[in-house]
Amino acid sequence: MHNLKLILTLTAVAFAVFVRAQPVTISSPDTAVTLQVMSAEGQLTYTVQYAGKSVIDRSRLGMVVDGVDLGKSVRLGEVESYAGERTYPMRGKHSQATDAHRGARITIRNESNNTAYQLDVRVFNDGVAFRYILPGSGERQLTAESTSFAVVDGSTVWHHGITAMHYEEKHQQSDVNAIVAGTWVAPPMTVKLPDGRGFAAITESGIIQATGENFPGMALEATGQRVFEARLGHEHPANFPYVLRYGEEDHQRLTEPPLLHGTIESPWRIVMIGQDLNTLFHNDIVQHVAPAPDPNVFPNGFDEAWMKPGRAVWGYLTDEPRTLAGMKNLSKLAGDLGFEYHVVEGHWQRWSISERKELVDYSNQYGVKLLFWKHSKDIRDPEARHEFFKHLHELGVAGAKIDFFDHEAKEIIDLYAACLKEAAHYQLVLNFHGAYKPAGESITWPNEMTREAILGFEMRGPWAIHNTTLPFTRMLAGHADYTPLHFGDRRAETSETHQVASAIVLQAPLLIYAAHPQEMLDHPAVAVIKQIPTVWDETIVLPGSEIGEVAAFARRSGDKWFISVMNGEQSRFLKIDLPFLGPGEHKITMVRDKQPESAMVSLVRKRRSFGAQQGVLIDDETIAHNESLFVELVAGGGFVAVIE
């Protein structure tokens, strides 16, 4: 992993210890997190504890291959223990990650068919990860997976389904005991543990491999009694977007269990753990266990010159004409904002090649690179895919926005991987829409700059609860193309300051703005908007943050701090201490909401509101590190400060 400029602070060690006693217990380097594996009456099971208290009660392990559940009729064999510690560069919520873990490869002997495989487990100070490694050759059918997660009693769960809009749904908050059998859940599923014991989240990593065979994605199905079972992509129910675009018959075709070849390495199943929301948000296990990128493709890791992070304008939610002249105007305005990219929707396909090249050359004059939209069905054929990416490369387009995947069956995962590989060959960045949750792909293929898998501004509000939920649910998996910031009626009940704050909190290395760039240039907060970066050196989730109520962040880029608060449905006061600032006085520019001048009146069917959140106020002051900010937040409002 020298391509990531990996700094090994402790060389990974491995040593074989032949143990047949049950159970096998692995603790984190700080001993706070413990994973225990045992065979209970022949069923392979595990538990997870944090600070001596249960997070995941006794739950099943196993995979079903060629119809045989390899988690049943088992006994534990040899245990090969290992440990490792490393730091490596990150791109997103912080600039560097630290991976410290203890692990074990436990041989599992299945006595029903006389086979052996390994359960590979790693325990971190902030969670656990495990996967299955099945040696073999030839062709085998991946029937199902029998992994389950029994969430501890008394927990509160934030979850959404996968049938209505795939991964573009709003989260519900439920007592874990109230989630009935048959409820589908899209990872990450966030859990607030009882009695103030902290938080957890369940997800996966490593669906797409740098080499070897890809795997179907995982969703969860509740069985009742606090248990959620892993379901692989071919087991997922039909969702509305896929059936709409491809038909029920094609969905039925994808329900056939996939065939795998040679040694099977499953993705990692992950349980994140944090004592508070700050710890949970900083969890990097998804990235820690993701397959490393190919150094022949990415010799400089994230630092390849052709895949720079940046901000983009996007005409989809504007009234800008879908013409060459209209797109030229958006590119010019992007340059005026200092933005680096412009995402062009599918109307580019109606233009001649010379017109496409004209837009590329015109945009380059303003330092703006282009991404062109494409329907994924048009590049399922390898030759068509090759020709599309080759065409973008020859035009000088920087990348593509690929849309409408809407499934996690292995065939569709293979399509994602093929797109990433072909795009990397032509040095193109990608944005996936109609997508499943991130699962470490941007580590393995760092030319993935963002993906959707989130209900964002393509849809309609209300937003206040949703926006204050996302940082602690969906965004635990990775970057998200929410397309933040809109000043029109699409912002629904949220204020303009809430919208500016959203561009700081709802992050992606490629951050695509929803508003018309002229509206941003004309806005009182334009000087602040121009400064917002897309990757951060440091992030702090501030005290007072609560899932679905308030998301308060302090984020540093270089020597500049950004304070960003999105408020939920209820007005509130928030005290923000500033101990992270250096000594002395600092310049602070604040963006805050004007108080409503009259009662809000809404015309629901027309989606128009009057009378509330009357714009923003901009204040320039000085502040010291030992001072505090006392912020009055209106319902659906926000607060932004830039401190330097």
Side-chain angles (χ1 to χ4, degrees):
M1 292 184 63
H2 65 278
N3 56 299
L4 287 182
K5 300 177 181 176
L6 181 64
I7 306 168
L8 289 179
T9 57
L10 175 66
T11 303
V13 296
F15 52 94
V17 181
F18 295 97
V19 179
R20 297 185 185 278
Q22 298 178 7
V24 176
T25 302
I26 306 97
S27 296
S28 59
D30 67 359
T31 71
V33 180
T34 301
L35 183 145
Q36 186 180 85
V37 178
M38 66 180 296
S39 175
E41 298 180 351
Q43 172 65 57
L44 189 63
T45 65
Y46 75 105
T47 62
V48 178
Q49 289 192 334
Y50 172 58
K53 302 289 186 179
S54 180
V55 175
I56 303 295
D57 289 338
R58 184 70 56 192
S59 302
R60 293 190 304 153
L61 291 167
M63 294 181 63
V64 184
V65 177
D66 289 333
V68 177
D69 188 340
L70 299 178
K72 293 182 177 180
S73 302
V74 303
R75 58 185 175 88
L76 305 187
E78 296 81 11
V79 179
E80 179 188 351
S81 299
Y82 62 93
E85 185 173 336
R86 62 191 175 114
T87 60
Y88 60 95
M90 278 278 286
R91 182 178 63 188
K93 56 191 171 185
H94 40 232
S95 59
Q96 192 173 76
T98 298
D99 167 11
H101 62 266
R102 292 176 180 168
R105 299 180 186 94
I106 306 167
T107 298
I108 311 297
R109 303 191 182 280
N110 185 279
E111 297 179 330
S112 64
N113 62 357
N114 196 31
T115 60
Y117 62 95
Q118 284 188 323
L119 177 68
D120 189 5
V121 302
R122 292 184 190 176
V123 185
F124 308 81
N125 294 340
D126 54 0
V128 306
F130 56 87
R131 63 173 176 168
Y132 308 96
I133 303 174
L134 285 65
S137 59
E139 188 175 81
R140 288 177 287 178
Q141 187 178 67
L142 178 62
T143 312
E145 182 171 341
S146 49
T147 304
S148 66
F149 304 85
V151 175
V152 65
D153 192 17
S155 296
T156 301
V157 174
W158 283 265
H159 60 103
H160 74 68
I162 60 171
T163 56
M165 292 299 296
H166 198 34
Y167 277 82
E168 298 172 48
E169 300 188 25
K170 290 186 177 181
H171 290 81
Q172 302 176 53
Q173 178 182 339
S174 304
D175 183 287
V176 68
N177 289 290
I179 301 176
V180 300
T183 301
W184 286 88
V185 177
M189 182 180 77
T190 298
V191 179
K192 185 175 184 179
L193 301 170
D195 305 320
R197 284 157 36 194
F199 297 85
I202 298 169
T203 192
E204 66 175 333
S205 182
I207 300 172
I208 290 178
Q209 300 289 317
T211 59
E213 198 144 24
N214 305 311
F215 219 79
M218 177 190 76
L220 302 172
E221 185 182 12
T223 65
Q225 292 80 50
R226 304 178 283 108
V227 175
F228 300 84
E229 294 190 338
R231 297 284 185 260
L232 302 179
H234 55 277
E235 301 176 281
H236 297 179
N239 67 73
F240 173 74
Y242 194 89
V243 173
L244 175 69
R245 295 175 181 116
Y246 302 99
E248 176 66 34
E249 183 177 342
D250 199 64
H251 165 73
Q252 287 298 322
R253 181 179 62 81
L254 293 178
T255 62
E256 185 69 22
L259 298 175
L260 301 179
H261 304 82
T263 295
I264 298 172
E265 294 188 6
S266 80
W268 294 86
R269 281 48 184 116
I270 294 170
V271 180
M272 304 176 179
I273 301 172
Q275 63 181 356
D276 52 31
L277 290 178
N278 183 53
T279 311
L280 183 69
F281 180 81
H282 281 87
N283 196 294
D284 292 324
I285 296 177
V286 169
Q287 289 74 33
H288 292 339
V289 298
D294 185 340
N296 296 314
V297 181
F298 302 101
N300 299 306
F302 292 133
D303 294 329
E304 299 294 343
W306 52 273
M307 53 185 200
K308 294 294 186 183
R311 302 150 296 171
V313 301
W314 179 51
Y316 186 78
L317 296 181
T318 75
D319 57 2
E320 191 68 38
R322 272 56 167 168
T323 62
L324 178 59
M327 296 305 103
K328 281 185 172 182
N329 186 47
L330 290 182
S331 287
K332 176 186 179 302
L333 296 174
D336 292 344
L337 282 166
F339 284 14
E340 295 81 7
Y341 292 96
H342 173 194
V343 177
V344 182
E345 290 295 311
H347 43 269
W348 68 271
Q349 296 171 103
R350 301 195 297 263
W351 305 339
S352 66
I353 293 177
S354 63
E355 288 174 318
R356 299 170 191 173
K357 183 63 175 173
E358 184 179 342
L359 179 60
V360 172
D361 294 340
Y362 181 86
S363 301
N364 285 342
Q365 296 177 40
Y366 295 94
V368 176
K369 300 176 182 179
L370 302 178
L371 276 74
F372 280 178
W373 180 94
K374 192 68 171 176
H375 198 307
S376 62
K377 72 177 181 181
D378 296 336
I379 53 174
R380 288 188 174 187
D381 175 74
E383 184 59 32
R385 186 166 56 246
H386 171 79
E387 290 301 320
F388 169 65
F389 289 123
K390 179 183 177 184
H391 180 55
L392 296 189
H393 176 75
E394 292 173 344
L395 286 174
V397 173
K401 174 182 176 179
I402 314 297
D403 210 343
F404 303 144
F405 294 87
D406 301 316
H407 215 293
E408 291 183 271
K410 184 180 182 302
E411 176 184 308
I412 307 301
I413 304 301
D414 287 342
L415 177 58
Y416 281 96
C419 288
L420 286 162
K421 182 177 181 179
E422 192 77 35
H425 174 75
Y426 285 109
Q427 298 190 338
L428 300 170
V429 299
L430 292 185
N431 170 14
F432 290 123
H433 263 231
Y436 68 92
K437 77 282 182 188
E441 295 82 4
S442 62
I443 294 291
T444 312
W445 294 96
N447 57 322
E448 179 184 309
M449 300 291 283
T450 189
R451 69 167 57 203
E452 193 179 30
I454 192 169
L455 192 149
F457 260 141
E458 285 187 336
M459 305 299 181
R460 290 282 186 172
W463 298 112
I465 294 176
H466 180 61
N467 288 356
T468 52
T469 299
L470 290 174
F472 313 113
T473 52
R474 158 62 179 85
M475 295 195 68
L476 298 177
H479 53 217
D481 192 15
Y482 174 98
T483 59
L485 199 150
H486 200 277
F487 296 131
D489 66 344
R490 188 171 287 266
R491 66 183 168 88
E493 87 287 21
T494 61
S495 72
E496 292 183 11
T497 309
H498 182 112
Q499 291 300 309
V500 177
S502 71
I504 299 170
V505 174
L506 305 176
Q507 72 192 42
L510 176 63
L511 190 65
I512 301 167
Y513 282 73
H516 194 293
Q518 189 63 59
E519 293 179 2
M520 290 188 276
L521 287 164
D522 294 340
H523 197 269
V526 62
V528 170
I529 294 170
K530 285 183 175 182
Q531 297 180 65
I532 298 172
T534 67
V535 294
W536 302 93
D537 294 318
E538 184 178 356
T539 298
I540 302 170
V541 178
L542 296 170
S545 295
E546 293 288 345
I547 303 176
E549 296 182 21
V550 60
F553 280 56
R555 313 195 91 159
R556 182 179 63 83
S557 176
D559 60 359
K560 191 176 295 185
W561 282 93
F562 291 74
I563 309 296
S564 180
V565 182
M566 297 188 298
N567 192 31
E569 285 189 320
Q570 304 297 321
S571 61
R572 72 188 72 234
F573 285 92
L574 187 67
K575 179 176 180 277
I576 301 175
D577 296 324
L578 306 169
F580 43 83
L581 298 182
E585 290 198 333
H586 303 260
K587 176 186 174 183
I588 178 171
T589 299
M590 294 179 287
V591 184
R592 58 187 175 91
D593 291 311
K594 291 182 181 179
Q595 290 298 312
E597 297 173 354
S598 60
M600 184 170 65
V601 178
S602 298
L603 299 178
V604 177
R605 292 184 63 187
K606 294 185 178 180
R607 300 184 184 276
R608 297 180 63 190
S609 298
F610 306 89
Q613 291 93 35
Q614 301 290 320
V616 302
L617 294 172
I618 310 296
D619 304 289
D620 291 307
E621 301 286 346
T622 59
I623 196 167
H625 75 282
N626 58 354
E627 295 186 69
S628 299
L629 294 167
F630 292 86
V631 181
E632 182 179 1
L633 295 164
V634 301
F639 175 76
V640 172
V642 182
I643 307 174
E644 53 186 320

